[in-house]
Amino acid sequence: MGVESLTEESRKRYRAENAWFPIGYAAQLDHAAESFGDKLALDDGVEHYTYSQVVDRTRAIAHGLRELGVGAGDVVAVQSPSRAWLPLMHLACNRIGAVYLPLSDSWRHTETEHLLRLSEAVVVCVPPDTEAFSHREMLDEIRHRLPRLRVVISLGGGDAPTLEELAASPTTLLGVPADPEQWSFCMVTSGTTALPKITKWTDVGLNSLLLAGFGPRIRLSPDDTALALAPANTGATGYVFPIMAPLLIGATSVIMPKWSPDDAVRLLGSSGATFATAIPTQMVQLLGLPGLNRDMVPKLTRFNNGGAPLAADAAAQIEDRLGCRVHSMYGATDGGVPVMTDVDDPDEVRLSTVGRLVPGMLIRILDPMGADQKPGEPGEIVYQGLQHTFGYLNEPDRDEEMFSDGWYHSGDVAVVDEVGYVRIVGRIKEMILRGGQNISPREIEDAIARHPGVAQVAVVGIPDPVMGERVCAFVVPHSVGEAPTLESIKEQMLGMRLAKWKLPERLEVIDRLPMSAGGKVVKSELKALIDTKDRWGK
């Protein structure tokens, strides 16, 4: 069996754990607007919306989508930077039963075409052109290979129909809102495959994550102002926690469109943020600012960390310099978030673990033979529950690959103590986690292998104090005297229109790759080679 399905028995369990909220996202926003109509709901530094304005605008967009022929189950993709466009389009889709698919604006031809084709999206919204890049021109180049794509909408002007024109429609709704038990929201995740996967989420699953887990553990209330520092445009850490969660309960969400450490500190202060969500790379970069102190962020009380592990000493420095408490989570875009800390946990627990089980979820720690480990013994952490993906969109084989009898196999090694707190101690998978972004070594290897000077290649992640990991490519050249340079490899990959953050940042030219008896590259030896070379300068 693959992904767990919703049964009456599972519903009873979720109700007993107070993790069952069978209401749609847009309907919850409407309820919040009844009490907080004139309150600021969304602010991205360019556009500002009260709760009443969010209701009116998303109803208008929903009607406009229906006028374009978008119906229940149709996929609407939104490729955007971190802006208010993301939740507005999500809510509009939810009102008519359409499926919302956010796409990073950093993805280029290769990733965008793959995801639009895989999702069978009928509409895609793109940001305004800049001097650096035109998403509209990119779509013009790939559109002939996307037979299901009917409409391209510009989020900010240009030749294509605009969001403003779409939102000028009357507010009379057509269509039926999304069923909260049926998938209507996508998050995009990179796995061990060469290109990203699309995970399918339900509103009841997201409600469990945000209202039964995250909200109580971070003490979220309508009095909060949340700041989204992490990227919001894949639907994961930087979206669900600092944007979706506040809008469900009547709090305010402030969105940072473009990251810089200096601007982030200024916005933390000027917005009056009471909690913020970031990835560890961003937190480490904040610590590099001279003079960083509590006076710069006078109202910040909680700093939510997600997307990757945060070192305990970095968490302690954040708390000491900013006078707030760090809140950490563990999970995956497709597996959900089974454990998280509580802001009132003791310092040792809060800074050195990823917390304990949340309502609606179950975890197990398995040895290599699949048997349960005892407390204190390491093993692969697997988990199941309401708040996980209900399958990979149009890739059913992935369900069987990642789920077994409803249990998600994380590939991470963990230890659980006697009282249930979890520590992550390693990874079984080879995925490179750079600045909160998953990078597939195989994808990078396939790209580098196309370089004319490369005979063999293996890619590994090497530790980095800021980014978590960086991409290192080991290359065996065709000719010893004509080894490729790092710049020529990057140029090759950019020519393939891959995202810049996937490019290797270190090149090691070697005579041969270490191979096992079975003919596989032994990447642990490559990592050891880097460690030795860096330590001794050889």
Side-chain angles (χ1 to χ4, degrees):
M1 293 176 60
V3 182
E4 180 190 25
S5 59
L6 284 174
T7 64
E8 189 53 41
E9 182 179 351
S10 62
R11 289 185 182 90
K12 288 180 180 178
R13 176 165 69 87
Y14 300 139
R15 290 189 190 102
E17 296 183 27
N18 295 317
W20 183 254
F21 301 88
I23 182 172
Y25 183 33
Q28 292 180 88
L29 185 282
D30 291 348
H31 287 321
E34 291 175 2
S35 301
F36 304 101
D38 294 330
K39 183 179 179 180
L40 181 64
L42 282 171
D43 181 353
D44 66 7
V46 179
E47 297 182 325
H48 321 273
Y49 297 94
T50 66
Y51 272 87
S52 294
Q53 289 170 334
V54 171
V55 170
D56 292 342
R57 189 163 179 80
T58 56
R59 284 179 175 171
I61 296 171
H63 183 90
L65 289 172
R66 287 293 292 140
E67 290 291 292
L68 292 174
V70 177
D74 284 337
V75 175
V76 176
V78 181
Q79 188 165 39
S80 167
S82 295
R83 290 286 305 276
W85 295 322
L86 297 166
L88 292 177
M89 291 301 301
H90 184 179
L91 287 158
C93 289
N94 196 264
R95 292 186 183 283
I96 59 172
V99 175
Y100 168 67
L101 169 64
L103 302 177
S104 170
D105 65 326
S106 71
W107 283 324
R108 295 297 181 252
H109 298 64
T110 299
E111 300 91 354
T112 302
E113 179 182 339
H114 163 73
L115 291 167
L116 291 177
R117 185 170 59 248
L118 180 63
S119 67
E120 299 181 340
V122 299
V123 172
V124 60
C125 304
V126 296
D129 292 351
T130 67
E131 293 183 2
F133 192 73
S134 170
H135 287 80
R136 181 181 51 79
E137 290 180 3
M138 174 184 69
L139 284 168
D140 288 343
E141 294 176 23
I142 64 177
R143 190 169 180 176
H144 67 283
R145 295 190 292 271
L146 301 168
R148 295 295 301 274
L149 184 62
R150 301 199 303 264
V151 181
V152 176
I153 295 172
S154 172
L155 294 170
D159 296 334
T162 67
L163 183 62
E164 291 303 319
E165 294 169 349
L166 198 68
S169 301
T171 58
T172 302
L173 281 183
L174 302 171
V176 178
D179 182 341
E181 293 189 34
Q182 299 296 318
W183 69 278
S184 61
F185 170 56
C186 297
M187 296 189 210
V188 179
T189 177
S190 298
T192 56
T193 56
L195 288 166
K197 303 186 296 289
I198 301 171
T199 66
K200 303 184 295 186
W201 280 74
T202 66
D203 284 348
V204 292
L206 286 164
N207 290 342
S208 176
L209 170 61
L210 300 175
L211 301 179
F214 179 71
R217 294 286 175 90
I218 204 169
R219 306 294 186 269
L220 184 63
S221 82
D223 295 329
D224 276 310
T225 295
L227 177 54
L229 296 175
N233 50 15
T234 62
T237 299
Y239 180 70
V240 296
F241 301 109
I243 299 176
M244 281 194 73
L247 293 179
L248 295 176
I249 66 163
T252 297
S253 179
V254 178
I255 305 170
M256 184 175 188
K258 186 176 181 180
W259 166 257
S260 86
D262 290 302
D263 289 343
V265 172
R266 282 193 287 269
L267 190 54
L268 280 165
S270 64
S271 67
T274 55
F275 91 83
T277 294
I279 57 175
T281 297
Q282 293 172 315
M283 290 189 172
V284 172
Q285 289 175 344
L286 288 177
L287 291 173
L289 296 176
L292 183 71
N293 64 75
R294 174 64 183 173
D295 292 340
M296 297 177 175
V297 292
K299 294 189 177 181
L300 186 70
T301 58
R302 292 142 292 163
F303 213 142
N304 170 234
N305 156 61
L310 176 67
D313 61 341
Q317 288 184 58
I318 286 287
E319 293 199 349
D320 179 60
R321 295 177 66 177
L322 297 184
C324 62
R325 291 197 171 195
V326 169
H327 174 268
S328 297
M329 307 172 289
Y330 166 77
T333 301
D334 38 9
V337 181
V339 296
M340 61 179 69
T341 59
D342 189 300
V343 290
D344 290 332
D345 278 333
D347 290 354
E348 164 62 21
V349 170
R350 198 177 61 257
L351 299 180
S352 64
T353 80
V354 289
R356 54 189 170 83
L357 197 66
V358 298
M361 297 297 285
L362 299 170
I363 61 171
R364 297 170 65 192
I365 307 296
L366 304 180
D367 69 14
M369 301 303 293
D372 290 290
Q373 295 282 58
K374 296 178 181 178
E377 295 179 347
E380 182 184 14
I381 180 170
V382 302
Y383 42 96
Q384 70 167 212
L386 181 56
Q387 45 144 306
H388 64 65
T389 180
F390 279 77
Y392 296 97
L393 181 57
N394 295 327
E395 292 188 290
D397 290 347
R398 299 289 180 207
D399 299 349
E400 300 298 328
E401 180 182 321
M402 298 301 298
F403 292 85
S404 177
D405 292 329
W407 292 90
Y408 174 76
H409 286 256
S410 69
D412 294 318
V413 180
V415 173
V416 180
D417 66 20
E418 294 286 351
V419 293
Y421 284 95
V422 177
R423 286 179 171 82
I424 305 299
V425 297
R427 290 213 306 274
I428 296 173
K429 298 178 179 180
E430 294 180 346
M431 182 61 56
I432 298 169
L433 196 59
R434 180 192 182 278
Q437 295 273 19
N438 286 330
I439 299 175
S440 163
R442 178 178 174 180
E443 179 185 13
I444 310 308
E445 288 164 356
D446 289 345
I448 295 175
R450 295 171 62 178
H451 190 288
V454 174
Q456 292 179 293
V457 59
V459 168
V460 300
I462 55 176
D464 183 84
V466 175
M467 302 304 291
E469 288 182 304
R470 292 186 185 272
V471 178
C472 177
F474 285 84
V475 164
V476 178
H478 277 297
S479 173
V480 175
E482 298 179 2
T485 65
L486 180 60
E487 289 306 312
S488 69
I489 287 175
K490 289 182 178 181
E491 183 177 354
Q492 161 100 6
M493 295 177 67
L494 287 174
M496 296 170 62
R497 294 170 169 171
L498 291 171
K500 289 183 179 180
W501 48 264
K502 294 181 179 180
L503 301 182
E505 295 167 275
R506 178 165 176 169
L507 174 67
E508 295 290 332
V509 179
I510 56 179
D511 296 329
R512 64 178 182 85
L513 295 176
M515 309 292 284
S516 69
K520 294 183 178 181
V521 177
V522 184
K523 292 191 174 182
S524 59
E525 293 188 21
L526 296 177
K527 292 186 177 184
L529 180 63
I530 285 290
D531 182 63
T532 300
K533 184 174 183 178
D534 289 350
R535 187 178 301 173
W536 302 106
K538 297 181 180 179

